[in-house]
Amino acid sequence: MFHIGMTQWIVGDEPLAVSCERLKRCGYNGIEFAAEPYRMDAGECRSLLEKYGLDCRSLCGIFDESRDLTADGEAGERAVQYIRDSVDFAAGVGAKIMIVVPSPVGRCVKPEGLSMERLTENAVGNVRKAADYALEKGVTLAVEAINRYETYFVNTIAKGLDFVKRVNHPAVGMMADLFHMNIEEAGLVDSLYRMRDELVHVHIADNTREAAGMGHIDFKEVLRALQRIGYEGSLTMEFMYRLSDPYSAAGISTQTGRMDRYAKQAIDYIRMTEESIQNFESEEEVR
Ligand code: LER
Ligand code: MN
């Protein structure tokens, strides 16, 4: 069975204990904390993990305009330092993966006056610097391709793979976010196969970005592909209401009812799908 987690930045300012209790109640294995090392306390997070019997395998990097890896000079260094501080936080809560979006989320137009090559060079150099530190701490940076309505930069798996190849660092891999991939990829399964050697983490949402099973993504073929490529990481739920700016989810404070429903729907649907493909696999064996 896959490890199943839920990312925590999508629940707004809900207390962490409320999120952990929900996940335990719904049968989740873990929680993905937001990488907010300047306002979250690793000790407090660890006690909650212990209290609710959850683990934290990954942190979700929050790359707003103030954490711009495509920048050089001081701004670029600030983004690198944010990753280093998040890596310390990851080590403090036992997480082995930190998600990295190599450009600010929500910046959909390339900044004027800077070539794509220059921006890429900056981002590659900054991620490589951060990765040297991550390697020392045993953390892998997972590059996330996000769709064209959230970035002009790395928005397809092909661009993500090129980026990772250019960084060329043992502490840098890639992740798959099914919501973004459903917008950008010609085929989900083909792209999962293409990224198999780099794949270290997965985000799950349906095509509307609501919980798995509420839309039309074929999770049966997605899970079968993940099994066949030998993926052993977490399936981390990252659902939200239909928002054009995903980070605005973090500002919504009264969504507990919806989150209860989505959290349960997502895990029940994925577990049921998992079971149905298990049955399918064994029928194949019988034949
Ligand atoms: C943003 O849309 C996203 O998918 C997150 O995982 C990273 O900020
Ligand atoms: Mn994601």
Side-chain angles (χ1 to χ4, degrees):
M1 279 204 329
F2 284 109
H3 172 283
I4 296 190
M6 175 176 154
T7 198
Q8 164 250 335
W9 70 269
I10 56 176
V11 297
D13 59 2
E14 175 179 280
L16 284 179
V18 173
S19 310
C20 290
E21 188 281 324
R22 172 192 299 118
L23 295 184
K24 187 67 202 164
R25 176 167 27 93
C26 294
Y28 281 73
N29 306 107
I31 183 164
E32 174 176 276
F33 290 124
E36 291 293 5
Y38 311 124
R39 58 182 176 80
M40 284 171 67
D41 180 66
E44 190 195 324
C45 291
R46 257 198 329 271
S47 330
L48 284 170
L49 293 175
E50 208 172 300
K51 178 169 176 193
Y52 290 101
L54 297 167
D55 62 13
C56 174
R57 288 194 174 188
S58 52
L59 296 187
C60 191
I62 304 295
F63 289 89
D64 58 20
E65 284 289 339
S66 72
R67 296 161 179 169
D68 180 3
L69 286 161
T70 65
D72 54 11
E74 243 177 67
E77 186 48 41
R78 201 181 323 123
V80 173
Q81 194 52 43
Y82 161 67
I83 300 181
R84 291 194 192 109
D85 293 336
S86 299
V87 162
D88 285 339
F89 182 75
V93 296
K96 296 282 177 220
I97 287 171
M98 176 183 170
I99 296 169
V100 169
V101 181
S103 60
V105 175
R107 190 191 284 173
C108 302
V109 179
K110 184 179 86 57
E112 266 178 46
L114 285 170
S115 69
M116 201 61 178
E117 179 49 29
R118 181 65 201 278
L119 293 157
T120 305
E121 233 172 62
N122 290 345
V124 165
N126 286 332
V127 170
R128 198 179 287 142
K129 264 199 250 170
D132 284 341
Y133 189 74
L135 185 65
E136 273 174 39
K137 301 281 171 169
V139 172
T140 298
L141 305 182
V143 172
E144 181 172 21
I146 62 174
N147 76 76
R148 69 187 76 177
Y149 307 108
E150 294 182 32
T151 188
Y152 68 94
F153 199 58
V154 172
N155 45 27
T156 62
I157 297 306
K159 287 183 190 169
L161 287 171
D162 279 354
F163 186 84
V164 168
K165 202 165 161 200
R166 257 181 91 160
V167 176
N168 186 25
H169 195 289
V172 178
M174 257 208 96
M175 67 168 288
D177 181 315
L178 272 300
F179 166 73
H180 298 302
M181 288 172 68
N182 180 63
I183 295 172
E184 297 295 349
E185 303 304 306
L188 296 177
V189 168
D190 281 357
S191 295
L192 288 170
Y193 271 89
R194 208 167 298 135
M195 71 198 299
R196 65 192 296 170
D197 294 337
E198 310 297 337
L199 185 65
V200 293
H201 192 53
V202 173
H203 271 171
I204 297 274
D206 221 313
N207 64 294
T208 62
R209 214 165 195 178
E210 292 167 290
M214 294 176 73
H216 61 68
I217 290 185
D218 183 347
F219 282 102
K220 223 191 252 185
E221 65 167 30
V222 167
L223 296 192
R224 275 167 66 80
L226 288 171
Q227 275 184 354
R228 288 189 167 163
I229 63 177
Y231 176 70
E232 289 182 343
S234 178
L235 303 182
T236 296
M237 308 302 178
E238 187 182 58
F239 42 69
M240 62 190 73
Y241 190 56
R242 299 153 192 232
L243 298 161
S244 51
D245 166 15
Y247 283 176
S248 67
I252 299 173
S253 57
T254 54
Q255 44 176 336
T256 308
R258 185 193 306 278
M259 286 296 146
D260 279 341
R261 290 197 302 281
Y262 282 15
K264 183 160 174 15
Q265 153 77 31
I267 191 167
D268 288 353
Y269 190 78
I270 291 297
R271 287 289 182 229
M272 187 188 72
T273 307
E274 215 176 359
E275 206 174 301
S276 64
I277 61 172
Q278 234 66 298
N279 293 339
F280 189 73
E281 294 289 353
S282 53
E283 266 174 43
E284 271 182 352
E285 280 160 27
V286 173
R287 248 182 267 137

